[in-house]
């Protein structure tokens, strides 16, 4: 009987932020995103002041100025938010495109499940599994655990109904195929130790 570990969203967010902070392409997009959002805020204030001062601080000027400022400033602000979100999903892949992560460990098998944010089905789940004797190597680089070996990926459009997406489940794994897992789990040290022992038992 295996032990199931559930991913921690707060840890994942922190690990992704740390990982992306080393990616120059992401940082350029992030700076652009911040610039657009700040510009939207500045535009809101400037436009509002122009209307307010131009109306000699009348109540109509206040209402019109604030309304116009918000409408005009909202445009670059929204673009900035969109740029930031797209950059996170693009450069944070594959981890940024995963949710509902879990890890199931037994003495002789590892199973990692996650739902893709790109899948239109609410109950979708991709499940990677590999037996201990099929693991060629284990690498840990910072917060990322990479399992190398001949695993198997089963993609479900609906895990509750066991409805398999056969097209997405055709990925081939070989003895040198890597599969990365973000170690965003509260029991991180326990997980790493158990996987290492699993590999050691197989020689």
């Amino acid at each position: 009987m295996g032990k199931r570990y559930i991913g921690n969203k707060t840890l994942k967010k922190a690990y992704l932020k740390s990982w992306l902070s080393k990616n120059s392409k992401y940082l350029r997009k992030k700076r652009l995103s911040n610039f657009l959002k700040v510009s939207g805020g500045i535009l809101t204030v400037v436009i509002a002041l122009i209307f307010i001062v131009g109306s000699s601080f009348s109540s109509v000027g206040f209402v019109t100025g604030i309304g116009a400022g918000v409408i005009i400033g909202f445009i670059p602000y929204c673009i900035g938010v969109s740029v930031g979100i797209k950059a996170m999903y693009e450069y944070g892949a594959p981890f940024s495109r995963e949710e509902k992560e879990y890890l199931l460990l037994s003495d002789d098998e590892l199973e990692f499940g996650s739902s893709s944010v790109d899948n239109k089905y609410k109950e979708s789940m991709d499940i990677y599994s590999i037996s201990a004797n099929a693991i060629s190597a284990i690498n840990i680089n910072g917060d990322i655990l990479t399992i190398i070996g001949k695993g198997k990926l089963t993609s479900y459009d609906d895990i509750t109904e066991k409805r398999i997406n056969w097209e997405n489940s055709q990925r081939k794994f070989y003895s040198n195929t890597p599969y990365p897992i973000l170690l965003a789990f509260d029991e991180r040290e326990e997980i790493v130790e158990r996987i290492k022992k699993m590999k050691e038992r197989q020689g």
Side-chain angles (χ1 to χ4, degrees):
M1 186 67 178
K3 182 174 179 180
R4 190 182 183 96
Y5 304 90
I6 304 300
N8 183 310
K9 291 181 180 179
T10 302
L11 279 178
K12 179 181 177 180
K13 185 176 180 180
Y15 290 169
L16 273 177
K17 184 177 180 180
S18 174
W19 186 47
L20 288 169
S21 68
K22 302 176 183 69
N23 187 313
S24 60
K25 291 182 179 179
Y26 168 78
L27 291 175
R28 282 197 293 270
K29 289 285 184 72
K30 184 65 176 175
R31 284 193 288 270
L32 174 60
S33 171
N34 290 338
F35 172 77
L36 288 168
K37 288 189 287 185
V38 170
S39 296
I42 292 173
L43 268 176
T44 298
V45 174
V46 170
I47 297 297
L49 286 174
I50 290 173
F51 276 87
I52 292 169
V53 173
S55 67
S56 300
F57 300 93
S58 68
S59 58
V60 174
F62 269 98
V63 174
T64 305
I66 292 173
V70 168
I71 291 172
I72 295 174
F74 190 65
I75 296 172
Y77 180 84
C78 285
I79 294 174
V81 170
S82 177
V83 168
I85 292 174
K86 287 180 179 178
M88 188 270 290
Y89 279 123
E90 179 180 358
Y91 297 108
F95 313 117
S96 58
R97 296 185 176 278
E98 297 173 342
E99 59 182 6
K100 303 177 184 176
E101 299 94 337
Y102 77 85
L103 190 60
L104 181 63
L105 291 178
S106 65
D107 290 338
D108 57 2
E109 188 175 28
L110 175 153
E111 178 181 298
F112 174 76
S114 66
S115 179
S116 172
V117 298
D118 298 318
N119 198 310
K120 63 182 180 180
Y121 298 105
K122 184 179 179 181
E123 301 298 332
S124 68
M125 183 68 68
D126 294 330
I127 297 178
Y128 168 81
S129 59
I130 186 169
S131 61
N133 57 17
I135 297 176
S136 302
I138 297 168
N139 292 327
I140 299 175
N141 184 8
D143 304 312
I144 300 172
L145 165 70
T146 301
I147 304 294
I148 300 172
K150 196 172 183 180
K152 176 184 178 182
L153 182 68
T154 305
S155 182
Y156 293 90
D157 282 337
D158 191 324
I159 187 65
T160 61
E161 299 291 335
K162 301 297 182 183
R163 190 170 75 244
I164 297 176
N165 184 315
W166 294 106
E167 181 179 353
N168 292 344
S169 301
Q170 296 305 307
R171 179 179 173 183
K172 299 294 184 182
F173 287 82
Y174 303 95
S175 60
N176 61 346
T177 303
Y179 192 89
I181 298 171
L182 189 64
L183 288 169
F185 297 88
D186 291 326
E187 307 88 350
R188 169 181 173 147
E189 299 303 324
E190 177 185 330
I191 289 170
V192 171
E193 190 62 27
R194 287 194 62 183
I195 294 175
K196 285 182 177 178
K197 287 182 178 179
M198 179 195 300
K199 179 67 174 67
E200 288 171 0
R201 281 194 292 270
Q202 300 302 316

